[in-house]
Amino acid sequence: MKIAVLIPSSTTHPQLGYDFYLSLQYALAQHDIVVEWMSASIGFGVDDVDMLAKAEDLLLNKGADLLVAFADYPKISKLFPLLEAVNKELVVVNMGAKLPLDWHPHPLVFHLSLQESLLAYVTGKTIYEEGSKQLVLASNYYEGGYAPCQLVVDAFMQEGGEVIYNFIPHSKGEAFSLEPLTTYLTESKNNLTIFASYSNPLTTVFWQQWSQQCFSQEHGLWGSSTFLMESLVNHRDVLIHNNQTSGFIAWDRALDNEENTLFLRVFEQKLNRVASCFAALGWDAGLLIAKALQDKQGNSSFSLIASMADLAGPIRLTRGEAIVDKDFLTLIAPVHQLSVIDKKIQYQTIAAMEMLSVWQDLKAQHPQPNQNGWFNTYLCS
């Protein structure tokens, strides 16, 4: 089995691509599957001509049986004619912060992500359902160019909510300031709900400034999945002292299931450092490939898509038991609602089947999804 991987680069998350690729390898090795690995770097995922050239070399010259790309729409579509020419499958992996051009999947493409857009959509609905009728959106120029900010607003307003204030600060950490948000909140006569959508390094800067505010315990703070996952790793002590913090996350090391425990043990023993959500995503990709190889009959051709389409029940991942949206050829994993209560982090798991229903609603509400302002894969910049 020859597997080729297109690896992204990131200045803000420099280990992203490496964590994903190494963990993908570890997962298949754990299943005693012998693989000939090959890879190529695709930068931030914006140069589709370069991406195609790398894919051509891996599939045409080196004979890869499967292509895995940490990339996103619309640039990844450049590879589709190549897939058709060689009749090979592609697994598109990313954070899930973009929506496709439409909901008609390519028959040779399977999707796996950390569901950033889906989690934003369910966040908007849940904020309203839990009693907040008005919302303050705190984001920035970068995060604002991806789907989650729009989706949390869309879902919240569809329920009847109102966005009363937009806070878009400077995107450079050294110039970032919570003013004028702090003034607005200080002068507000009501306790408000804020949705924060940031990623490294602004996650760190946000917490440094937010924790110094006298009102930080008065207002409800909801975060995007990336914001909260980064906070759990790098700012856990600050997070647990903010009792009104909530949100949905894709993954955390605290998730108590067999696959997550095994993944953490293998990854951290091999590399002697803390595992990341990107590594968890790589492990999950490996589990899907391992399942497809187990389903392969005799001399039949390898097909991850056929394996996933024929999946009769859930498949166990680091995030819990996941299922497949067979219409769009994507995996739907359970999500975990985080709450900070009495300086303790608590989780409530939302099962994959319930999330599939939310996903179908998202697709119905956005039949022709708006496209993002940025071409690069989210967090690859």
Side-chain angles (χ1 to χ4, degrees), residues 113-125:
S113 79
L114 288 180
Q115 305 182 137
E116 194 79 23
S117 294
L118 177 57
L119 277 96
Y121 190 72
V122 76
T123 296
K125 287 182 169 294

Side-chain angles (χ1 to χ4, degrees), residues 96-237:
K98 293 186 178 185
L99 297 181
L101 296 172
D102 56 51
W103 298 108
H104 304 293
H106 192 284
L108 293 172
V109 179
F110 191 80
H111 307 87
L112 174 67
S113 79
L114 288 180
Q115 305 182 137
E116 194 79 23
S117 294
L118 177 57
L119 277 96
Y121 190 72
V122 76
T123 296
K125 287 182 169 294
T126 305
I127 291 174
Y128 185 87
E129 291 168 358
E130 294 194 358
S132 296
K133 307 308 182 213
Q134 295 181 322
L135 183 68
V136 173
L137 177 66
S139 186
N140 66 92
Y141 188 61
Y142 178 70
E143 258 75 24
Y146 292 93
C149 278
Q150 185 64 55
L151 288 170
V152 74
V153 169
D154 286 350
F156 183 70
M157 294 182 68
Q158 284 166 12
E159 297 296 317
E162 176 188 12
V163 177
I164 58 172
Y165 190 80
N166 287 289
F167 173 66
I168 310 295
H170 202 292
S171 293
K172 295 290 185 180
E174 62 273 12
F176 181 97
S177 172
L178 280 180
E179 289 286 352
L181 176 62
T182 53
T183 299
Y184 179 81
L185 295 176
T186 299
E187 294 176 351
S188 173
K189 297 179 181 180
N190 301 315
N191 292 340
L192 299 175
T193 299
I194 301 98
F195 176 75
S197 180
Y198 297 107
S199 59
N200 187 60
L202 295 188
T203 298
T204 296
V205 181
F206 177 91
W207 280 121
Q208 288 172 344
Q209 297 186 24
W210 180 263
S211 60
Q212 295 173 3
Q213 304 300 319
C214 61
F215 57 69
S216 62
Q217 301 296 326
E218 299 172 7
H219 302 289
L221 178 65
W222 287 70
S224 66
S225 179
T226 291
F227 173 78
L228 291 173
M229 288 192 294
E230 291 183 351
S231 300
L232 287 164
V233 173
N234 300 314
H235 310 288
R236 202 177 192 95
D237 290 343

Side-chain angles (χ1 to χ4, degrees), residues 342-361:
D342 296 329
K343 298 182 180 179
K344 292 183 179 179
I345 296 171
Q346 299 184 6
Y347 292 117
Q348 178 182 353
T349 298
I350 314 300
M353 188 61 70
E354 185 173 344
M355 291 310 302
L356 177 61
S357 177
V358 179
W359 173 246
Q360 302 291 18
D361 182 58

Side-chain angles (χ1 to χ4, degrees), residues 1 3 22-35 37 258-260 262-263 265-266 270 280 282-295 308 315-318:
M1 180 73 178
I3 300 178
L22 289 168
S23 195
L24 172 61
Q25 293 177 324
Y26 297 157
L28 287 168
Q30 194 66 29
H31 285 79
D32 297 321
I33 297 171
V34 178
V35 175
W37 294 98
E258 185 177 336
E259 277 302 332
N260 200 39
L262 177 59
F263 153 65
R265 177 173 60 80
V266 172
K270 284 184 175 292
W283 188 274
D284 288 348
L287 295 177
L288 301 189
I289 296 170
K291 176 68 169 64
L293 286 168
Q294 291 167 2
D295 291 344
M308 293 298 104
I315 182 170
R316 294 179 180 177
L317 305 181
T318 60

